[in-house]
Amino acid sequence: LWTRDMIDRANGAWPLPSMKRVVVAVDPSGTRGAEDQGDSVGIVVAGLGSDGFGYVLADRTCKLSPDGWGREAVKAYRTFKADRIIAERNFGGAMVEHVIRTVDWNASYREVTASRGKIARAEPAAALYEQNRVRHAGTFTELEDQMCAMTGAGYVGDGSPDRCDALVWALSDLMLAEQHQPTRQVQINFMGR
């Protein structure tokens, strides 16, 4: 879905504009921490710039206990002055919100539900890269490797594409959600009496 050329075009010394919105996206896993065989918890920070481009600001993916990754997500939320933490609820359901709320009760939080497969969810985000609408505020080697391992037939990398899943959730919220679609102008004529 992503090519190295698409990612190379996104990488660069981009001056960061002011951000309209910033989100921290979390793709949870069942890991207990570094000692088990579970996947990492994807944590990606992205913003929608005032110039209309999406910016990948940080990859804070980690393999920590629920308390550890919850603290990492909230730390990113505070560091980047994010508007919201979004997290996939399919794995763990209410557990993810509980972890975030335990660290910071006041953090703005919203769950997202995966109703389609990973590839179907990733394709619109990959199209944003194809259209040169996303920029990276640094080089994110592990994230970029996962992006390039996403194919139309599925993920061909090792383990789970946790970083890439979090990226897709972030860009979907910032640039693909219904609220960000252009609104139609409707003219209403009022008949006065």
mmCIF file of all heavy atoms in Angstrom, residues 56-80:
data_model
loop_
_atom_site.group_PDB
_atom_site.id
_atom_site.type_symbol
_atom_site.label_atom_id
_atom_site.label_comp_id
_atom_site.label_asym_id
_atom_site.label_seq_id
_atom_site.Cartn_x
_atom_site.Cartn_y
_atom_site.Cartn_z
ATOM 1 N N VAL A 56 2.968 13.522 10.694
ATOM 2 C CA VAL A 56 3.294 12.504 11.682
ATOM 3 C C VAL A 56 4.344 13.139 12.580
ATOM 4 O O VAL A 56 5.436 13.482 12.127
ATOM 5 C CB VAL A 56 3.821 11.213 11.029
ATOM 6 C CG1 VAL A 56 4.155 10.179 12.091
ATOM 7 C CG2 VAL A 56 2.791 10.662 10.044
ATOM 8 N N LEU A 57 3.995 13.322 13.850
ATOM 9 C CA LEU A 57 4.845 14.063 14.774
ATOM 10 C C LEU A 57 5.729 13.170 15.636
ATOM 11 O O LEU A 57 6.836 13.572 15.999
ATOM 12 C CB LEU A 57 3.976 14.950 15.672
ATOM 13 C CG LEU A 57 3.090 15.950 14.927
ATOM 14 C CD1 LEU A 57 2.131 16.636 15.895
ATOM 15 C CD2 LEU A 57 3.938 16.973 14.186
ATOM 16 N N ALA A 58 5.251 11.973 15.982
ATOM 17 C CA ALA A 58 6.040 11.094 16.847
ATOM 18 C C ALA A 58 5.511 9.677 16.781
ATOM 19 O O ALA A 58 4.328 9.447 16.529
ATOM 20 C CB ALA A 58 5.991 11.594 18.293
ATOM 21 N N ASP A 59 6.405 8.740 17.018
ATOM 22 C CA ASP A 59 6.050 7.334 17.180
ATOM 23 C C ASP A 59 6.514 6.946 18.577
ATOM 24 O O ASP A 59 7.711 6.861 18.840
ATOM 25 C CB ASP A 59 6.747 6.472 16.124
ATOM 26 C CG ASP A 59 6.458 4.985 16.279
ATOM 27 O OD1 ASP A 59 5.688 4.594 17.184
ATOM 28 O OD2 ASP A 59 7.018 4.201 15.494
ATOM 29 N N ARG A 60 5.568 6.754 19.483
ATOM 30 C CA ARG A 60 5.881 6.412 20.881
ATOM 31 C C ARG A 60 5.517 4.961 21.187
ATOM 32 O O ARG A 60 5.252 4.604 22.331
ATOM 33 C CB ARG A 60 5.140 7.361 21.821
ATOM 34 C CG ARG A 60 5.514 8.830 21.653
ATOM 35 C CD ARG A 60 6.920 9.089 22.169
ATOM 36 N NE ARG A 60 7.383 10.440 21.905
ATOM 37 C CZ ARG A 60 7.216 11.482 22.705
ATOM 38 N NH1 ARG A 60 6.548 11.343 23.822
ATOM 39 N NH2 ARG A 60 7.709 12.659 22.383
ATOM 40 N N THR A 61 5.478 4.134 20.169
ATOM 41 C CA THR A 61 5.142 2.719 20.327
ATOM 42 C C THR A 61 6.055 2.087 21.366
ATOM 43 O O THR A 61 7.255 2.378 21.415
ATOM 44 C CB THR A 61 5.263 2.004 18.973
ATOM 45 O OG1 THR A 61 4.309 2.599 18.075
ATOM 46 C CG2 THR A 61 4.986 0.514 19.092
ATOM 47 N N CYS A 62 5.475 1.232 22.200
ATOM 48 C CA CYS A 62 6.254 0.616 23.279
ATOM 49 C C CYS A 62 5.704 -0.764 23.607
ATOM 50 O O CYS A 62 4.606 -1.128 23.190
ATOM 51 C CB CYS A 62 6.211 1.501 24.528
ATOM 52 S SG CYS A 62 4.542 1.849 25.119
ATOM 53 N N LYS A 63 6.484 -1.498 24.345
ATOM 54 C CA LYS A 63 6.048 -2.805 24.826
ATOM 55 C C LYS A 63 6.169 -2.773 26.342
ATOM 56 O O LYS A 63 7.194 -3.158 26.905
ATOM 57 C CB LYS A 63 6.872 -3.923 24.213
ATOM 58 C CG LYS A 63 6.307 -5.276 24.569
ATOM 59 C CD LYS A 63 6.911 -6.366 23.750
ATOM 60 C CE LYS A 63 6.235 -7.649 24.195
ATOM 61 N NZ LYS A 63 6.809 -8.808 23.628
ATOM 62 N N LEU A 64 5.149 -2.239 26.971
ATOM 63 C CA LEU A 64 5.129 -2.046 28.408
ATOM 64 C C LEU A 64 3.847 -2.628 28.985
ATOM 65 O O LEU A 64 2.923 -2.972 28.246
ATOM 66 C CB LEU A 64 5.214 -0.548 28.742
ATOM 67 C CG LEU A 64 6.463 0.196 28.263
ATOM 68 C CD1 LEU A 64 6.289 1.703 28.442
ATOM 69 C CD2 LEU A 64 7.700 -0.304 28.996
ATOM 70 N N SER A 65 3.789 -2.696 30.286
ATOM 71 C CA SER A 65 2.566 -3.113 30.965
ATOM 72 C C SER A 65 1.463 -2.099 30.655
ATOM 73 O O SER A 65 1.749 -0.989 30.180
ATOM 74 C CB SER A 65 2.808 -3.141 32.472
ATOM 75 O OG SER A 65 3.025 -1.811 32.941
ATOM 76 N N PRO A 66 0.195 -2.433 30.933
ATOM 77 C CA PRO A 66 -0.866 -1.449 30.713
ATOM 78 C C PRO A 66 -0.585 -0.108 31.401
ATOM 79 O O PRO A 66 -0.783 0.948 30.808
ATOM 80 C CB PRO A 66 -2.111 -2.140 31.258
ATOM 81 C CG PRO A 66 -1.848 -3.590 30.987
ATOM 82 C CD PRO A 66 -0.365 -3.749 31.278
ATOM 83 N N ASP A 67 -0.096 -0.141 32.631
ATOM 84 C CA ASP A 67 0.229 1.115 33.310
ATOM 85 C C ASP A 67 1.317 1.868 32.543
ATOM 86 O O ASP A 67 1.235 3.086 32.368
ATOM 87 C CB ASP A 67 0.693 0.839 34.744
ATOM 88 C CG ASP A 67 1.075 2.119 35.459
ATOM 89 O OD1 ASP A 67 0.187 2.970 35.688
ATOM 90 O OD2 ASP A 67 2.272 2.280 35.784
ATOM 91 N N GLY A 68 2.331 1.146 32.058
ATOM 92 C CA GLY A 68 3.433 1.783 31.339
ATOM 93 C C GLY A 68 3.007 2.408 30.030
ATOM 94 O O GLY A 68 3.341 3.563 29.747
ATOM 95 N N TRP A 69 2.252 1.665 29.186
ATOM 96 C CA TRP A 69 1.849 2.258 27.906
ATOM 97 C C TRP A 69 0.787 3.334 28.106
ATOM 98 O O TRP A 69 0.721 4.289 27.333
ATOM 99 C CB TRP A 69 1.458 1.224 26.868
ATOM 100 C CG TRP A 69 0.238 0.380 27.103
ATOM 101 C CD1 TRP A 69 0.214 -0.940 27.449
ATOM 102 C CD2 TRP A 69 -1.130 0.766 26.953
ATOM 103 N NE1 TRP A 69 -1.079 -1.388 27.545
ATOM 104 C CE2 TRP A 69 -1.921 -0.363 27.236
ATOM 105 C CE3 TRP A 69 -1.773 1.953 26.609
ATOM 106 C CZ2 TRP A 69 -3.319 -0.339 27.201
ATOM 107 C CZ3 TRP A 69 -3.156 1.984 26.567
ATOM 108 C CH2 TRP A 69 -3.907 0.853 26.864
ATOM 109 N N GLY A 70 -0.023 3.199 29.151
ATOM 110 C CA GLY A 70 -0.992 4.254 29.448
ATOM 111 C C GLY A 70 -0.283 5.558 29.787
ATOM 112 O O GLY A 70 -0.657 6.628 29.309
ATOM 113 N N ARG A 71 0.762 5.450 30.582
ATOM 114 C CA ARG A 71 1.538 6.647 30.935
ATOM 115 C C ARG A 71 2.237 7.232 29.707
ATOM 116 O O ARG A 71 2.324 8.449 29.551
ATOM 117 C CB ARG A 71 2.558 6.321 32.024
ATOM 118 C CG ARG A 71 1.910 6.059 33.363
ATOM 119 C CD ARG A 71 2.924 5.806 34.481
ATOM 120 N NE ARG A 71 2.222 5.460 35.694
ATOM 121 C CZ ARG A 71 1.565 6.320 36.470
ATOM 122 N NH1 ARG A 71 1.559 7.593 36.148
ATOM 123 N NH2 ARG A 71 0.942 5.916 37.560
ATOM 124 N N GLU A 72 2.727 6.370 28.833
ATOM 125 C CA GLU A 72 3.383 6.844 27.605
ATOM 126 C C GLU A 72 2.391 7.581 26.699
ATOM 127 O O GLU A 72 2.710 8.618 26.124
ATOM 128 C CB GLU A 72 4.030 5.671 26.861
ATOM 129 C CG GLU A 72 4.972 6.070 25.767
ATOM 130 C CD GLU A 72 6.192 6.849 26.232
ATOM 131 O OE1 GLU A 72 6.707 6.590 27.332
ATOM 132 O OE2 GLU A 72 6.627 7.739 25.471
ATOM 133 N N ALA A 73 1.177 7.049 26.575
ATOM 134 C CA ALA A 73 0.154 7.700 25.744
ATOM 135 C C ALA A 73 -0.240 9.055 26.331
ATOM 136 O O ALA A 73 -0.350 10.050 25.603
ATOM 137 C CB ALA A 73 -1.066 6.793 25.614
ATOM 138 N N VAL A 74 -0.437 9.114 27.633
ATOM 139 C CA VAL A 74 -0.816 10.377 28.276
ATOM 140 C C VAL A 74 0.338 11.373 28.231
ATOM 141 O O VAL A 74 0.132 12.568 28.022
ATOM 142 C CB VAL A 74 -1.323 10.132 29.711
ATOM 143 C CG1 VAL A 74 -1.489 11.452 30.468
ATOM 144 C CG2 VAL A 74 -2.643 9.367 29.678
ATOM 145 N N LYS A 75 1.569 10.887 28.374
ATOM 146 C CA LYS A 75 2.734 11.771 28.255
ATOM 147 C C LYS A 75 2.785 12.404 26.866
ATOM 148 O O LYS A 75 3.021 13.611 26.725
ATOM 149 C CB LYS A 75 4.014 10.979 28.534
ATOM 150 C CG LYS A 75 5.281 11.793 28.456
ATOM 151 C CD LYS A 75 6.487 10.911 28.746
ATOM 152 C CE LYS A 75 7.787 11.629 28.487
ATOM 153 N NZ LYS A 75 8.935 10.723 28.640
ATOM 154 N N ALA A 76 2.530 11.614 25.819
ATOM 155 C CA ALA A 76 2.502 12.152 24.457
ATOM 156 C C ALA A 76 1.358 13.152 24.311
ATOM 157 O O ALA A 76 1.516 14.203 23.682
ATOM 158 C CB ALA A 76 2.356 11.013 23.448
ATOM 159 N N TYR A 77 0.213 12.842 24.896
ATOM 160 C CA TYR A 77 -0.955 13.740 24.871
ATOM 161 C C TYR A 77 -0.591 15.103 25.462
ATOM 162 O O TYR A 77 -0.921 16.146 24.894
ATOM 163 C CB TYR A 77 -2.087 13.058 25.655
ATOM 164 C CG TYR A 77 -3.302 13.884 25.935
ATOM 165 C CD1 TYR A 77 -4.263 14.122 24.956
ATOM 166 C CD2 TYR A 77 -3.530 14.397 27.211
ATOM 167 C CE1 TYR A 77 -5.409 14.853 25.231
ATOM 168 C CE2 TYR A 77 -4.674 15.127 27.493
ATOM 169 C CZ TYR A 77 -5.605 15.359 26.507
ATOM 170 O OH TYR A 77 -6.742 16.088 26.791
ATOM 171 N N ARG A 78 0.108 15.080 26.583
ATOM 172 C CA ARG A 78 0.502 16.334 27.249
ATOM 173 C C ARG A 78 1.632 17.036 26.494
ATOM 174 O O ARG A 78 1.595 18.248 26.293
ATOM 175 C CB ARG A 78 0.929 16.044 28.678
ATOM 176 C CG ARG A 78 -0.215 15.603 29.569
ATOM 177 C CD ARG A 78 0.299 15.229 30.946
ATOM 178 N NE ARG A 78 -0.773 14.757 31.801
ATOM 179 C CZ ARG A 78 -0.583 13.967 32.834
ATOM 180 N NH1 ARG A 78 0.642 13.537 33.139
ATOM 181 N NH2 ARG A 78 -1.608 13.576 33.575
ATOM 182 N N THR A 79 2.652 16.279 26.089
ATOM 183 C CA THR A 79 3.819 16.865 25.413
ATOM 184 C C THR A 79 3.421 17.593 24.136
ATOM 185 O O THR A 79 3.899 18.697 23.867
ATOM 186 C CB THR A 79 4.854 15.767 25.081
ATOM 187 O OG1 THR A 79 5.286 15.151 26.303
ATOM 188 C CG2 THR A 79 6.054 16.337 24.333
ATOM 189 N N PHE A 80 2.534 16.976 23.350
ATOM 190 C CA PHE A 80 2.147 17.563 22.075
ATOM 191 C C PHE A 80 0.878 18.400 22.174
ATOM 192 O O PHE A 80 0.350 18.841 21.156
ATOM 193 C CB PHE A 80 1.985 16.458 21.019
ATOM 194 C CG PHE A 80 3.308 15.882 20.595
ATOM 195 C CD1 PHE A 80 3.844 14.797 21.260
ATOM 196 C CD2 PHE A 80 4.029 16.445 19.555
ATOM 197 C CE1 PHE A 80 5.078 14.260 20.894
ATOM 198 C CE2 PHE A 80 5.258 15.925 19.178
ATOM 199 C CZ PHE A 80 5.787 14.833 19.850
#
